[in-house]
Amino acid sequence: MIEPTTTTRAAARIDWNSGTARSLRKKRYAADRRLRFYGIAAISIAVLLLGILLTSLVSTGYLAFVQTHVTMDVAIDPEQVPVDNPAEGNYRAIVADAVQRLFPDIDGRSELRNAVGIVTNGAQVMLRNQVISDPSLIGKTFSIQVPVSDPYDQLYKDVIDRDLPENRRRLNDEQIALFETLEDRGLIEAKANWALLFNADSRFPELAGLAGAIVGSFYALLLCFVISFPVGIAAAIYLEEFAPKNRWTDLIEVNINNLAAVPSIIFGLLGLAVFIQVFGLPRSAPLVGGLVLALMTLPTIIIVTRNSLKAVPPSIREAALGIGASRHEVILHHLLPLAIPGILTGTIIGMAQALGETAPLLLIGMNAFLTSPPGGIMEPATSLPTQIFIWADSPERGFVSRTSAAILVLLGFLILMNAIAIYLRSKLERKW
Amino acid sequence: MTQWTLDPETRTTEPASLPKMRGENVNVFYGTKQALFDVNLAVPEHQVTALIGPSGCGKSTFLRCLNRMNDTIDIARVEGEITLDGRSIYDPKIDVVELRAQVGMAFQKPNPFPKSIFENVAYGPTIHGRASAKADLEQIVVDSLRKAGLYEEVKERLHEPGTGLSGGQQQRLCIARAIAVAPEVILMDEPCSALDPIATAKIEELIDELRENFTIVIVTHSMQQAARVSQRTAFFHLGVLVEEGPTSEIFTSPNDKRTQDYVTGRFG
Ligand SMILES: Nc1ncnc2c1ncn2[C@@H]1O[C@H](COP(=O)(O)OP(=O)(O)O)[C@@H](O)[C@H]1O
Ligand SMILES: [Mg+2]
């Protein structure tokens, strides 16, 4: 056994009170403080930018979460709506009559046109749907609340300035006067805008909603998950547990890592060229969107699964092998259960990325104008980010706030998914 | 020199006519680096064989050849012949899963599964189909825990996590887990190196009891431990099996200078 050398110890002892020691200590403290300052500064900048983003979104978007409505009495005249076929009724005329009744004093054609313009163009469709679902309304007079059309909505929300000279605003003095009489009679009311979530897209901002986009994104993500989750896990298990270490597997590994860094628009081009042009799958369909997103998410899932498998302590693997567990038993009984929290978290974060992905979906045509949600994965659809893209491109004033509101809805879904990831991680992680 | 406490009955032990396991001309390579050189060692039945030697000399490597755990290391290559009951275990016809059930192992660091005590012990019998009914399985678990000297301590909390036990209890749990698949040989790689002296004493006692039913090969860096628990000792140095024989002889009258230096504490 080697004896520790004690003879030179005293000579090598450091004088902690010497000038050099003191200046070294001071430098060390200063460096620590500097590093901490850089960190705090960096975080402050990040928080500030995030704050600016959210403030600007909320300050323009909050207007879209309410919608101005007008209350009016409609009379469903059996002359205009056949009892045996309510779908064939002349609802346009019924709405016009109802508006006329709101303004008993006006008679001129242009004045009446102005008055009808206050009510949304979709009013007749809403009324028609209501009567079809409840035919007993025929012959009755009842009051309904319908959205006002976009310029009046903006007027009521003070986005249109009533004091501007007439030629510089969307509504002329006459139109504003008509609207103000309704306000004075208490018929105008701003209500929560559920249509934003439950309506499909529309040319008219007051009717436009995200239902189609939400359903489209849901189908695409579902497909993306169904494909990329099992394929990704299987590929990762093979690469991590079975593949021999040679040049080929190295090549595959490098390529998978590169795939994760490929710009998403490339995947869109691939989807267009292969899925649509070669396989003849329908354009704009969530099917193609889901396939493209799956290709994009696959590398992410493979990488997180491999890392989670690598993170399982080797002693567990040895313990299982040591009592004669076969490879598949080691993997299925021991490695995967320990790796699954990491895999799930990574997968959800990958899915959240896929949810926000825009460019590839634009390329495969998921930015079509569609007034009803898709009925299945083969039908044309939009997605949340492409819907935002469409709205951002629309000239109507009402779409400005709706674009911000849609972004907030998308952010809401992203936060929800990340919260699920955090919950799953803390829930599934073995504490023992 | 230390007073080695020696088991009187083993003083004259010679390898049995047919050893339980035998390695002949075993060479092991990690990549291009050779870790074992022409090792010839017989492991007699119902005895404890201790492998001693300075760290890095290849004790673990040899031990891991005996249940083919080296198969799991990509770069490891084993040459030579290793037999269990006269049958080569590297024969392509041998199923490595069955071999590892016959030759169980306990590791340096206790490594219970992150499951309950019961599940830890029941896992082996379940995957090897040792128990058909639930009652059989429970019986096996209780018996194994008893044989590992752990049952009395954990009978109230069989369904609590095995990782919640103390280090020594965890190691005995790992031994119970190995016993539960009814192995013939149990390999132990420095099973006490992570334990305190009291837990170590318990494991040593246990090893002595287990000898009745199993053949044991133990790697240890503690010469006192080798002297206390083993009947035969093999001394490795730089990948070479320098000397092997009855423990008493290795410690009192070694033939080789290197063995003498090692057991008298001159290096290591
Ligand atoms: N997985 C491995 N890969 C490469 N070399 C290894 C590996 N395991 C052990 N070795 C080498 O083999 C030699 C013997 O190691 P080992 O059997 O663990 O020694 P011991 O258990 O006697 O301390 C050492 O030189 C060690 O570096
Ligand atoms: Mg070792």
Side-chain angles (χ1 to χ4, degrees), chain B residues 13 15 19-21 41-52 62-63 66 185-189 207 211 214-220 225-227 229-236 241 243-247:
Chain B
T13 317
K20 189 71 191 168
M21 295 195 83
L41 182 66
V43 175
E45 195 164 15
H46 294 306
Q47 295 197 6
V48 178
T49 303
L51 312 182
I52 62 169
F62 183 75
L63 194 74
L66 298 179
V185 182
I186 301 178
L187 311 176
M188 301 185 182
D189 192 349
I207 291 171
R211 183 159 67 89
F214 307 96
T215 301
I216 293 171
V217 185
I218 179 172
V219 170
T220 172
Q225 184 169 67
V229 302
S230 72
Q231 286 75 52
R232 295 187 71 81
T233 296
F235 171 64
F236 285 75
L241 173 60
E243 190 170 353
E244 64 103 9
T247 300

Side-chain angles (χ1 to χ4, degrees), chain B residues 55-56 58-61 108 189-190 219:
Chain B
S55 131
K59 308 178 294 289
S60 299
T61 301
Q108 191 161 356
D189 192 349
E190 304 196 25
V219 170

